[in-house]
Amino acid sequence: GRKVLIVYAHQEPKSLNGSLKSVAVEELGKQGCSVTVSDLYAMQFEPRATRNDIVGCLLNSEQFNYGVEAREAYKRGNLSDDLIEEQKKVQEADLLIFQFPLYWFSMPAIMKGWMDRVLVEGFAHKFPDCYDSGLLKDKLALFSFTTGGSREMYAQGGISGDIRYLLWPMQHGIMHYCGVKVLAPHICFAPEYVSEEKRKEMLLAWAQRLKTLWKEEPVNCSPEWYFK
């Protein structure tokens, strides 16, 4: 069976994000997938990239360069245990689902910290092995998130701009850079401002999409797709 890693960032299990995560675990499990959840808040995941991520001696103790030290520590197997554990989950996964509420046109800090710390050079990318030749090129990713603003606000010409502008750094700048193929995002617009019935419909729509998810083609990760 296929393996799925859900990286989940919400403080409240009863939230719509929590329900979307649970729906994914249930539906993908029915398909025979092995589903692992990294519940970042429950794990009290450390979002800060610091000296603590490197176990043992530094390459240069006089001037700390996080990127260099993390890369060399990865080669030596000297990253901190939490990073090794998350990298193992990524390595084993066929599909990465990122479930979160949109904060200030981006992902929550705890999830961005996961990206900063886990996707180490040498593990996820190694120039010039990036984008289509990135080190995670055999994997799929999907960003599933909720917004505070309505669909109209994030449409072309809307006050918040086309939602694809916000997806550019997440889908292209992080996932595609690491070689991951990106499926179309799943967006629940303004769930706080709709009826309970509408929220149930959002969960049902997600469950329905998951039934045929493996048949989907990745989006065209090019500037033309994001900015046309």
Side-chain angles (χ1 to χ4, degrees):
R2 296 182 174 98
K3 294 188 176 182
V4 180
L5 171 61
I6 301 176
V7 183
Y8 164 67
H10 200 286
Q11 307 90 335
E12 175 50 63
K14 296 177 184 176
S15 65
L16 186 69
N17 275 276
S19 297
L20 289 162
K21 179 262 296 176
S22 297
V23 165
V25 171
E26 181 179 355
E27 179 55 43
L28 292 167
K30 287 179 185 175
Q31 298 174 22
C33 297
S34 173
V35 184
T36 300
V37 178
S38 284
D39 184 340
L40 300 183
Y41 285 104
M43 293 159 61
Q44 297 187 4
F45 185 81
E46 170 59 75
R48 297 171 298 176
T50 70
R51 165 70 177 84
N52 294 334
D53 291 349
I54 291 87
V55 177
C57 298
L58 295 175
L59 194 70
N60 182 351
S61 58
E62 299 298 317
Q63 185 173 350
F64 183 68
N65 182 318
Y66 182 85
V68 170
E69 296 293 350
R71 179 190 69 208
E72 295 305 311
Y74 173 72
K75 288 180 187 176
R76 301 191 307 266
N78 284 355
L79 288 172
S80 58
D81 289 344
D82 61 336
L83 295 191
I84 291 172
E85 180 63 26
E86 293 305 298
Q87 288 176 345
K88 182 182 177 185
K89 294 176 189 175
V90 172
Q91 197 67 59
E92 292 178 348
D94 300 297
L95 168 66
L96 310 171
I97 296 177
F98 297 94
Q99 183 66 59
F100 59 97
L102 198 69
Y103 280 5
W104 292 116
F105 280 25
S106 186
M107 63 188 77
I110 198 167
M111 182 173 283
K112 179 56 165 58
W114 185 95
M115 304 284 186
D116 292 347
R117 296 180 64 225
V118 174
L119 302 177
V120 169
E121 183 180 355
F123 168 70
H125 58 91
K126 183 183 177 184
F127 189 82
D129 296 324
C130 53
Y131 293 114
D132 290 341
S133 59
L135 300 182
L136 302 181
K137 59 181 177 292
D138 297 326
K139 303 184 185 303
L140 293 170
L142 190 161
F143 287 88
S144 173
F145 59 95
T146 59
T147 70
S150 65
R151 183 184 298 272
E152 292 73 26
M153 291 174 71
Y154 287 106
Q156 272 191 328
I159 188 73
S160 297
D162 191 325
I163 193 73
R164 285 178 296 190
Y165 298 164
L166 311 189
L167 291 165
W168 168 258
M170 293 186 273
Q171 295 187 154
H172 179 75
I174 303 175
M175 286 294 108
H176 186 205
Y177 186 83
C178 295
V180 181
K181 295 177 180 65
V182 182
L183 298 177
H186 196 84
I187 309 169
C188 293
F189 289 98
E192 289 184 81
Y193 303 105
V194 299
S195 66
E196 184 61 30
E197 190 61 36
K198 286 288 184 186
R199 285 192 288 274
K200 288 179 181 177
E201 289 175 13
M202 290 176 175
L203 295 174
L204 183 60
W206 178 223
Q208 286 299 117
R209 181 181 175 188
L210 289 165
K211 291 180 189 298
T212 57
L213 193 69
W214 301 103
K215 297 179 182 178
E216 293 186 14
E217 290 295 320
V219 299
N220 173 18
C221 263
S222 68
E224 290 76 22
W225 185 84
Y226 292 98
F227 301 113
K228 67 182 178 181

